[in-house]
Amino acid sequence: MLNMSRPASFPRQQLAGEFRAFLRRRRRHVLSLVAIEVGLTALVTVVLLVFWHRGPALWYVLGGLHMLLVFAVPAAIAIAFFANSRTAIWNLRGAMGESNTSEVLKAAKKHRVVWGYVESVAVSGGDIDHLVVTRAGGVLAIDSKWRNGVTADFLAKLAPDTGTLAHHSPSRRLW
Amino acid sequence: MIWGAVRHEMPESAVREDVEFVPGEKLAAWLSARNGLPVDKSVANDLLERLAAFKDR
């Protein structure tokens, strides 16, 4: 699960920046959408209150409709954002991959498999997602990727970049 | 560390140019299986502090 309250990793920063830029670019559309949603909510509320017989079902339906309309706007904005951005989905996947790895590392620390870890360490040429100090395996540099397909080419292209980042890891100098 | 649908298609251990590719759901087991260089608690704490300082520099 993606937790946006974590210290911002590179893909998370990119995603947040892209989203802010999208909101600035589409400010009029977003404001129109919010205005329509507020108007629609008010209209539905009045119609139900006037024409539906008073009773527990009315409040249940009214609450359900309000909740639906309140969630519809952020959902519509998110869909429009991802549909209009070429890179947002990549950054979202990157952030989700890093977040999943963080969850596993947190559990590994709790179960005394690793001593600890540092997230998102900027080095020359990029960003190391996690530097992990293990109990019985030295220090590991972990890069997380989210992919829905893999080929030998993909691994062959990824390996040198990841190896270069690990080579620039500060743990090589600090230990 | 590979997450996403592809992690189910990953072989148990894929290594290219000294980089090991591990499916996300195997990470915990993979970490538990490390049996290389032991790291003392004091060394680990010192290193983690210095890595955190390096990150915040």
Side-chain angles (χ1 to χ4, degrees):
Chain A
M1 185 55 85
L2 186 60
N3 177 359
M4 294 305 279
S5 65
R6 281 181 196 289
S9 64
F10 182 72
R12 204 170 275 127
Q13 285 174 4
Q14 292 287 104
L15 192 61
E18 275 189 64
F19 187 61
R20 281 194 296 270
F22 171 79
L23 288 181
R24 275 197 300 273
R25 233 177 20 250
R26 306 280 178 168
R27 190 170 39 208
R28 282 180 58 194
H29 292 93
V30 171
L31 289 175
S32 302
L33 192 64
V34 172
I36 289 169
E37 192 268 345
V38 170
L40 197 60
T41 304
L43 182 69
V44 169
T45 303
V46 169
V47 167
L48 283 177
L49 286 174
V50 171
F51 294 106
W52 198 330
H53 62 276
R54 298 291 169 106
L58 170 67
W59 306 116
Y60 182 78
V61 169
L62 208 52
L65 276 171
H66 282 181
M67 207 156 75
L68 188 73
L69 287 166
V70 163
F71 282 107
V73 169
I77 292 171
I79 289 168
F81 169 57
F82 284 109
N84 280 282
S85 170
R86 193 170 53 85
T87 53
I89 195 69
W90 290 104
N91 286 320
L92 178 68
R93 286 175 173 182
M96 284 167 66
E98 289 183 24
S99 185
N100 285 356
T101 300
S102 291
E103 293 302 320
V104 175
L105 291 175
K106 195 192 291 179
K109 186 180 174 186
K110 192 176 162 190
H111 292 112
R112 299 167 173 260
V113 175
V114 302
W115 287 114
Y117 58 93
V118 179
E119 297 177 316
S120 303
V121 180
V123 293
S124 161
D127 166 79
I128 298 176
D129 298 341
H130 294 90
L131 279 171
V132 185
V133 181
T134 66
R135 289 185 175 233
V139 180
L140 305 170
I142 296 183
D143 189 33
S144 301
K145 299 286 178 203
W146 187 287
R147 290 291 183 275
N148 293 329
V150 70
T151 60
D153 258 9
F154 161 70
L155 297 182
K157 280 179 187 161
L158 196 58
D161 293 345
T162 308
T164 304
L165 279 179
H167 183 76
H168 286 128
S169 164
S171 61
R172 290 169 67 93
R173 297 191 301 278
L174 296 176
W175 194 8
Chain B
M1 200 51 46
I2 307 293
W3 296 96
V6 79
R7 69 188 191 275
H8 303 298
E9 302 163 18
M10 291 281 297
E12 279 294 313
S13 173
V15 182
R16 300 284 187 283
E17 301 186 27
D18 292 334
V19 173
E20 197 165 343
F21 293 86
V22 180
E25 61 199 14
K26 303 269 170 65
L27 173 58
W30 183 82
L31 283 170
S32 299
R34 299 300 90 200
N35 60 354
L37 191 60
V39 183
D40 287 337
K41 186 178 182 179
S42 59
V43 173
N45 286 340
D46 180 51
L47 183 57
L48 284 166
E49 270 178 29
R50 287 197 281 163
L51 286 173
F54 176 88
K55 180 187 169 181
D56 296 336
R57 77 199 186 283

